Amino acid sequence: QVQLVESGGGLVQPGGSLRLSCAASGTIFRSYAMGWYRQVPGQQREMVATISAKGRATNYADFVKGRFTMSRDDAKNTVYLQMSNLKPEDTAVYYCHLPDMRTGVDYWGQGTQVTVSS
């Protein structure tokens, strides 16, 4: 059983910063690529960033490139999303994603709310 738990969301002013964390349990964390996605109510969930199993490659959506950085600490079974220069349009629920290609099962966390507002 895989469980993902996000934390670090909250209310921040435009131009501010937040760091999101996702702690994984129930799996060999180092074996999997990971992703951060976000969703606005009534809209489709969209990819924000992904990181390879060994952390050697990252991929970012155009709307966050240069502002967000994804990283991982396999010793802590945790991935991070450092968000800087936040904009009101970044307001969303942010979800952690683990795609298990061995079983074909996609695992998601419960989400953490990020609100960017003055």
Side-chain angles (χ1 to χ4, degrees):
Q1 181 176 320
V2 176
Q3 185 174 23
L4 306 173
V5 180
E6 302 97 333
S7 62
L11 175 64
V12 64
Q13 296 183 67
S17 299
L18 285 173
R19 188 178 77 157
L20 306 183
S21 299
C22 171
S25 62
T27 190
I28 304 174
F29 181 82
R30 62 176 174 81
S31 299
Y32 301 97
M34 299 288 292
W36 284 101
Y37 289 70
R38 70 187 188 188
Q39 187 170 25
V40 176
Q43 299 185 12
Q44 186 176 356
R45 191 170 298 183
E46 61 185 354
M47 188 272 288
V48 175
T50 60
I51 190 166
S52 63
K54 294 187 176 181
R56 295 175 179 174
T58 51
N59 184 41
Y60 299 96
D62 287 342
F63 52 80
V64 304
K65 192 171 296 183
R67 299 188 297 122
F68 292 8
T69 301
M70 187 174 182
S71 61
R72 67 190 299 152
D73 185 343
D74 289 346
K76 296 182 178 180
N77 283 3
T78 301
V79 295
Y80 305 93
L81 185 67
Q82 177 65 51
M83 306 184 295
S84 300
N85 192 24
L86 284 160
K87 305 175 180 180
E89 52 264 43
D90 294 320
T91 296
V93 178
Y94 284 72
Y95 296 91
C96 185
H97 177 235
L98 187 159
D100 187 340
M101 298 184 69
R102 180 181 63 85
T103 64
V105 177
D106 290 295
Y107 295 95
W108 298 91
Q110 83 289 343
T112 185
Q113 176 71 47
V114 173
T115 302
V116 184
S117 177
S118 59

